[in-house]
Amino acid sequence: MEKRYAAAALSLAALLTACTSSASHGEQMEYLHKMAQRGVEAHAVLENQGDGGDPDKCERLYGLYNGPHGNDAPYVGNYDEKVALLKEGEDLFMDGCVNGTPSPVSARSEPASPSAPPASRATT
């Protein structure tokens, strides 16, 4: 009887781990490329309105396309890595929106292992 519960607990633990693992390096790179392209698309929208390249309007469109909360960003378990990914995505969006051309996505190093503990959040 106990073996059955142990097997069920291990299965549940494996399922939860699979559902909460950090996005792969490829998924993170795909997100960054998408953000660069969305910035270019936003530039085209603004250009049609005669406002192409306006940083203030690009910032407002960033909120519509993705926003500072990264709702469209892949899950990254490590807090510092998540912040860096969102910031890089925002920078790529803004560059594309202001300039009208997609900025090159930097070659990011491989993310830390999914089991790495999240860094503590410093308060200011």
Side-chain angles (χ1 to χ4, degrees):
M1 185 81 141
E2 286 184 27
K3 288 182 181 180
R4 194 171 9 168
Y5 290 123
L10 287 174
S11 297
L12 181 60
L15 178 63
L16 290 174
T17 300
C19 292
T20 60
S21 63
S22 287
S24 70
H25 181 259
E27 290 169 325
Q28 292 179 31
M29 294 300 290
E30 182 180 322
Y31 166 75
L32 294 175
H33 285 286
K34 184 176 13 175
M35 291 307 296
Q37 186 58 41
R38 284 181 178 173
V40 173
E41 292 167 3
H43 179 86
V45 168
L46 292 175
E47 191 72 28
N48 287 335
Q49 298 173 357
D51 294 325
D54 183 335
D56 291 331
K57 294 196 178 188
C58 286
E59 195 169 322
R60 279 184 251 153
L61 280 178
Y62 173 69
L64 293 174
Y65 271 87
N66 190 46
H69 303 295
N71 296 329
D72 195 30
Y75 174 77
V76 177
N78 181 289
Y79 180 76
D80 291 336
E81 288 181 22
K82 178 180 180 177
V83 169
L85 178 69
L86 294 176
K87 178 64 177 147
E88 190 171 350
E90 179 181 3
D91 291 345
L92 289 167
F93 180 92
M94 290 299 293
D95 287 346
C97 184
V98 171
N99 300 323
T101 56
S103 295
V105 176
S106 68
R108 295 170 56 93
S109 61
E110 286 289 327
S113 67
S115 61
S120 64
R121 297 179 190 176
T123 58
T124 54

